[in-house]
PDB file of all heavy atoms in Angstrom:
ATOM      1  N   SER D  10       1.228  11.187  -7.687  1.00  0.00           N
ATOM      2  CA  SER D  10       1.538  11.978  -8.885  1.00  0.00           C
ATOM      3  C   SER D  10       0.359  11.982  -9.829  1.00  0.00           C
ATOM      4  O   SER D  10      -0.546  11.181  -9.719  1.00  0.00           O
ATOM      5  CB  SER D  10       2.778  11.401  -9.572  1.00  0.00           C
ATOM      6  OG  SER D  10       2.561  10.045  -9.891  1.00  0.00           O
ATOM      7  N   SER D  11       0.397  12.921 -10.815  1.00  0.00           N
ATOM      8  CA  SER D  11      -0.686  13.016 -11.779  1.00  0.00           C
ATOM      9  C   SER D  11      -0.568  11.893 -12.796  1.00  0.00           C
ATOM     10  O   SER D  11       0.472  11.273 -12.932  1.00  0.00           O
ATOM     11  CB  SER D  11      -0.609  14.366 -12.503  1.00  0.00           C
ATOM     12  OG  SER D  11       0.567  14.404 -13.293  1.00  0.00           O
ATOM     13  N   PRO D  12      -1.632  11.583 -13.574  1.00  0.00           N
ATOM     14  CA  PRO D  12      -1.557  10.519 -14.572  1.00  0.00           C
ATOM     15  C   PRO D  12      -0.408  10.726 -15.536  1.00  0.00           C
ATOM     16  O   PRO D  12       0.196   9.768 -15.999  1.00  0.00           O
ATOM     17  CB  PRO D  12      -2.917  10.586 -15.267  1.00  0.00           C
ATOM     18  CG  PRO D  12      -3.827  11.184 -14.237  1.00  0.00           C
ATOM     19  CD  PRO D  12      -2.991  12.136 -13.459  1.00  0.00           C
ATOM     20  N   ARG D  13      -0.052  11.965 -15.848  1.00  0.00           N
ATOM     21  CA  ARG D  13       1.023  12.201 -16.800  1.00  0.00           C
ATOM     22  C   ARG D  13       2.380  11.827 -16.251  1.00  0.00           C
ATOM     23  O   ARG D  13       3.339  11.698 -16.980  1.00  0.00           O
ATOM     24  CB  ARG D  13       1.014  13.665 -17.224  1.00  0.00           C
ATOM     25  CG  ARG D  13      -0.136  13.983 -18.173  1.00  0.00           C
ATOM     26  CD  ARG D  13      -0.146  15.443 -18.532  1.00  0.00           C
ATOM     27  NE  ARG D  13      -0.502  16.248 -17.371  1.00  0.00           N
ATOM     28  CZ  ARG D  13      -0.601  17.567 -17.409  1.00  0.00           C
ATOM     29  NH1 ARG D  13      -0.345  18.236 -18.527  1.00  0.00           N
ATOM     30  NH2 ARG D  13      -0.945  18.240 -16.339  1.00  0.00           N
ATOM     31  N   ALA D  14       2.474  11.692 -14.910  1.00  0.00           N
ATOM     32  CA  ALA D  14       3.755  11.339 -14.299  1.00  0.00           C
ATOM     33  C   ALA D  14       3.835   9.857 -14.019  1.00  0.00           C
ATOM     34  O   ALA D  14       4.588   9.410 -13.177  1.00  0.00           O
ATOM     35  CB  ALA D  14       3.956  12.105 -13.011  1.00  0.00           C
ATOM     36  N   ALA D  15       3.076   9.058 -14.737  1.00  0.00           N
ATOM     37  CA  ALA D  15       3.033   7.630 -14.474  1.00  0.00           C
ATOM     38  C   ALA D  15       4.358   6.955 -14.719  1.00  0.00           C
ATOM     39  O   ALA D  15       4.593   5.853 -14.255  1.00  0.00           O
ATOM     40  CB  ALA D  15       1.954   6.971 -15.343  1.00  0.00           C
ATOM     41  N   ALA D  16       5.254   7.564 -15.448  1.00  0.00           N
ATOM     42  CA  ALA D  16       6.543   6.955 -15.712  1.00  0.00           C
ATOM     43  C   ALA D  16       7.400   6.843 -14.469  1.00  0.00           C
ATOM     44  O   ALA D  16       8.431   6.197 -14.482  1.00  0.00           O
ATOM     45  CB  ALA D  16       7.291   7.757 -16.765  1.00  0.00           C
ATOM     46  N   SER D  17       6.991   7.467 -13.338  1.00  0.00           N
ATOM     47  CA  SER D  17       7.751   7.321 -12.105  1.00  0.00           C
ATOM     48  C   SER D  17       7.625   5.920 -11.546  1.00  0.00           C
ATOM     49  O   SER D  17       8.425   5.493 -10.736  1.00  0.00           O
ATOM     50  CB  SER D  17       7.272   8.332 -11.060  1.00  0.00           C
ATOM     51  OG  SER D  17       5.917   8.105 -10.759  1.00  0.00           O
ATOM     52  N   SER D  18       6.604   5.178 -11.915  1.00  0.00           N
ATOM     53  CA  SER D  18       6.484   3.781 -11.530  1.00  0.00           C
ATOM     54  C   SER D  18       7.415   2.943 -12.372  1.00  0.00           C
ATOM     55  O   SER D  18       7.636   3.237 -13.546  1.00  0.00           O
ATOM     56  CB  SER D  18       5.033   3.330 -11.721  1.00  0.00           C
ATOM     57  OG  SER D  18       4.942   2.039 -12.173  1.00  0.00           O
ATOM     58  N   PRO D  19       8.039   1.839 -11.827  1.00  0.00           N
ATOM     59  CA  PRO D  19       8.975   1.044 -12.609  1.00  0.00           C
ATOM     60  C   PRO D  19       8.376   0.526 -13.905  1.00  0.00           C
ATOM     61  O   PRO D  19       8.988   0.613 -14.958  1.00  0.00           O
ATOM     62  CB  PRO D  19       9.342  -0.091 -11.650  1.00  0.00           C
ATOM     63  CG  PRO D  19       9.144   0.493 -10.289  1.00  0.00           C
ATOM     64  CD  PRO D  19       8.000   1.418 -10.434  1.00  0.00           C
ATOM     65  N   ARG D  20       7.150  -0.028 -13.831  1.00  0.00           N
ATOM     66  CA  ARG D  20       6.555  -0.553 -15.067  1.00  0.00           C
ATOM     67  C   ARG D  20       6.251   0.557 -16.044  1.00  0.00           C
ATOM     68  O   ARG D  20       6.446   0.437 -17.244  1.00  0.00           O
ATOM     69  CB  ARG D  20       5.270  -1.316 -14.728  1.00  0.00           C
ATOM     70  CG  ARG D  20       5.538  -2.728 -14.197  1.00  0.00           C
ATOM     71  CD  ARG D  20       4.260  -3.479 -13.975  1.00  0.00           C
ATOM     72  NE  ARG D  20       3.487  -3.635 -15.215  1.00  0.00           N
ATOM     73  CZ  ARG D  20       2.282  -4.194 -15.236  1.00  0.00           C
ATOM     74  NH1 ARG D  20       1.718  -4.587 -14.122  1.00  0.00           N
ATOM     75  NH2 ARG D  20       1.636  -4.317 -16.381  1.00  0.00           N
ATOM     76  N   ALA D  21       5.751   1.676 -15.516  1.00  0.00           N
ATOM     77  CA  ALA D  21       5.440   2.796 -16.404  1.00  0.00           C
ATOM     78  C   ALA D  21       6.700   3.329 -17.054  1.00  0.00           C
ATOM     79  O   ALA D  21       6.707   3.689 -18.230  1.00  0.00           O
ATOM     80  CB  ALA D  21       4.727   3.892 -15.628  1.00  0.00           C
ATOM     81  N   ALA D  22       7.803   3.401 -16.289  1.00  0.00           N
ATOM     82  CA  ALA D  22       9.053   3.886 -16.848  1.00  0.00           C
ATOM     83  C   ALA D  22       9.541   2.979 -17.957  1.00  0.00           C
ATOM     84  O   ALA D  22      10.019   3.420 -19.000  1.00  0.00           O
ATOM     85  CB  ALA D  22      10.108   3.989 -15.743  1.00  0.00           C
ATOM     86  N   ALA D  23       9.391   1.673 -17.736  1.00  0.00           N
ATOM     87  CA  ALA D  23       9.821   0.731 -18.769  1.00  0.00           C
ATOM     88  C   ALA D  23       8.983   0.876 -20.015  1.00  0.00           C
ATOM     89  O   ALA D  23       9.487   0.856 -21.138  1.00  0.00           O
ATOM     90  CB  ALA D  23       9.735  -0.696 -18.218  1.00  0.00           C
ATOM     91  N   SER D  24       7.662   1.030 -19.836  1.00  0.00           N
ATOM     92  CA  SER D  24       6.796   1.206 -21.000  1.00  0.00           C
ATOM     93  C   SER D  24       7.152   2.463 -21.758  1.00  0.00           C
ATOM     94  O   SER D  24       7.234   2.491 -22.977  1.00  0.00           O
ATOM     95  CB  SER D  24       5.327   1.265 -20.556  1.00  0.00           C
ATOM     96  OG  SER D  24       4.975   0.075 -19.876  1.00  0.00           O
ATOM     97  N   SER D  25       7.374   3.560 -21.029  1.00  0.00           N
ATOM     98  CA  SER D  25       7.714   4.823 -21.671  1.00  0.00           C
ATOM     99  C   SER D  25       9.023   4.711 -22.422  1.00  0.00           C
ATOM    100  O   SER D  25       9.160   5.186 -23.540  1.00  0.00           O
ATOM    101  CB  SER D  25       7.796   5.918 -20.610  1.00  0.00           C
ATOM    102  OG  SER D  25       8.183   7.136 -21.201  1.00  0.00           O
ATOM    103  N   ALA D  26      10.001   4.045 -21.773  1.00  0.00           N
ATOM    104  CA  ALA D  26      11.298   3.907 -22.426  1.00  0.00           C
ATOM    105  C   ALA D  26      11.189   3.077 -23.691  1.00  0.00           C
ATOM    106  O   ALA D  26      11.816   3.369 -24.693  1.00  0.00           O
ATOM    107  CB  ALA D  26      12.309   3.283 -21.467  1.00  0.00           C
ATOM    108  N   SER D  27      10.387   2.006 -23.636  1.00  0.00           N
ATOM    109  CA  SER D  27      10.283   1.165 -24.824  1.00  0.00           C
ATOM    110  C   SER D  27       9.610   1.897 -25.965  1.00  0.00           C
ATOM    111  O   SER D  27       9.968   1.727 -27.120  1.00  0.00           O
ATOM    112  CB  SER D  27       9.499  -0.121 -24.490  1.00  0.00           C
ATOM    113  OG  SER D  27       8.160   0.202 -24.130  1.00  0.00           O
ATOM    114  N   VAL D  28       8.636   2.724 -25.631  1.00  0.00           N
ATOM    115  CA  VAL D  28       7.996   3.519 -26.683  1.00  0.00           C
ATOM    116  C   VAL D  28       8.988   4.499 -27.287  1.00  0.00           C
ATOM    117  O   VAL D  28       9.065   4.670 -28.496  1.00  0.00           O
ATOM    118  CB  VAL D  28       6.776   4.265 -26.123  1.00  0.00           C
ATOM    119  CG1 VAL D  28       6.224   5.232 -27.144  1.00  0.00           C
ATOM    120  CG2 VAL D  28       5.698   3.273 -25.717  1.00  0.00           C
ATOM    121  N   ALA D  29       9.803   5.175 -26.454  1.00  0.00           N
ATOM    122  CA  ALA D  29      10.723   6.192 -26.942  1.00  0.00           C
ATOM    123  C   ALA D  29      11.860   5.600 -27.744  1.00  0.00           C
ATOM    124  O   ALA D  29      12.380   6.239 -28.639  1.00  0.00           O
ATOM    125  CB  ALA D  29      11.294   6.979 -25.766  1.00  0.00           C
ATOM    126  N   SER D  30      12.282   4.367 -27.402  1.00  0.00           N
ATOM    127  CA  SER D  30      13.447   3.809 -28.076  1.00  0.00           C
ATOM    128  C   SER D  30      13.095   2.923 -29.246  1.00  0.00           C
ATOM    129  O   SER D  30      13.963   2.460 -29.948  1.00  0.00           O
ATOM    130  CB  SER D  30      14.281   3.002 -27.076  1.00  0.00           C
ATOM    131  OG  SER D  30      13.500   1.932 -26.549  1.00  0.00           O
ATOM    132  N   SER D  31      11.811   2.674 -29.432  1.00  0.00           N
ATOM    133  CA  SER D  31      11.428   1.836 -30.561  1.00  0.00           C
ATOM    134  C   SER D  31      11.680   2.566 -31.872  1.00  0.00           C
ATOM    135  O   SER D  31      11.346   3.732 -32.009  1.00  0.00           O
ATOM    136  CB  SER D  31       9.937   1.478 -30.442  1.00  0.00           C
ATOM    137  OG  SER D  31       9.492   0.874 -31.635  1.00  0.00           O
ATOM    138  N   PRO D  32      12.273   1.912 -32.883  1.00  0.00           N
ATOM    139  CA  PRO D  32      12.503   2.574 -34.175  1.00  0.00           C
ATOM    140  C   PRO D  32      11.218   3.070 -34.794  1.00  0.00           C
ATOM    141  O   PRO D  32      11.208   4.026 -35.538  1.00  0.00           O
ATOM    142  CB  PRO D  32      13.153   1.486 -35.010  1.00  0.00           C
ATOM    143  CG  PRO D  32      13.741   0.533 -34.029  1.00  0.00           C
ATOM    144  CD  PRO D  32      12.844   0.561 -32.864  1.00  0.00           C
ATOM    145  N   ARG D  33      10.103   2.432 -34.440  1.00  0.00           N
ATOM    146  CA  ARG D  33       8.830   2.844 -35.026  1.00  0.00           C
ATOM    147  C   ARG D  33       8.307   4.120 -34.395  1.00  0.00           C
ATOM    148  O   ARG D  33       7.340   4.676 -34.850  1.00  0.00           O
ATOM    149  CB  ARG D  33       7.794   1.744 -34.835  1.00  0.00           C
ATOM    150  CG  ARG D  33       8.206   0.422 -35.460  1.00  0.00           C
ATOM    151  CD  ARG D  33       7.152  -0.621 -35.185  1.00  0.00           C
ATOM    152  NE  ARG D  33       7.552  -1.931 -35.649  1.00  0.00           N
ATOM    153  CZ  ARG D  33       6.842  -3.037 -35.447  1.00  0.00           C
ATOM    154  NH1 ARG D  33       5.695  -2.965 -34.804  1.00  0.00           N
ATOM    155  NH2 ARG D  33       7.274  -4.192 -35.889  1.00  0.00           N
ATOM    156  N   ALA D  34       8.885   4.545 -33.302  1.00  0.00           N
ATOM    157  CA  ALA D  34       8.326   5.670 -32.559  1.00  0.00           C
ATOM    158  C   ALA D  34       8.976   6.980 -32.925  1.00  0.00           C
ATOM    159  O   ALA D  34       9.168   7.837 -32.114  1.00  0.00           O
ATOM    160  CB  ALA D  34       8.454   5.412 -31.073  1.00  0.00           C
ATOM    161  N   GLY D  35       9.344   7.168 -34.144  1.00  0.00           N
ATOM    162  CA  GLY D  35       9.788   8.483 -34.577  1.00  0.00           C
ATOM    163  C   GLY D  35      11.255   8.532 -34.909  1.00  0.00           C
ATOM    164  O   GLY D  35      11.759   9.576 -35.273  1.00  0.00           O
ATOM    165  N   GLY D  36      12.012   7.414 -34.820  1.00  0.00           N
ATOM    166  CA  GLY D  36      13.401   7.391 -35.247  1.00  0.00           C
ATOM    167  C   GLY D  36      14.336   8.144 -34.367  1.00  0.00           C
ATOM    168  O   GLY D  36      15.417   8.504 -34.802  1.00  0.00           O
TER     169      GLY D  36
END
Side-chain angles (χ1 to χ4, degrees):
S10 57
S11 66
R13 286 178 291 181
S17 61
S18 143
R20 281 184 61 184
S24 301
S25 177
S27 64
V28 172
S30 61
S31 170
R33 301 178 185 175

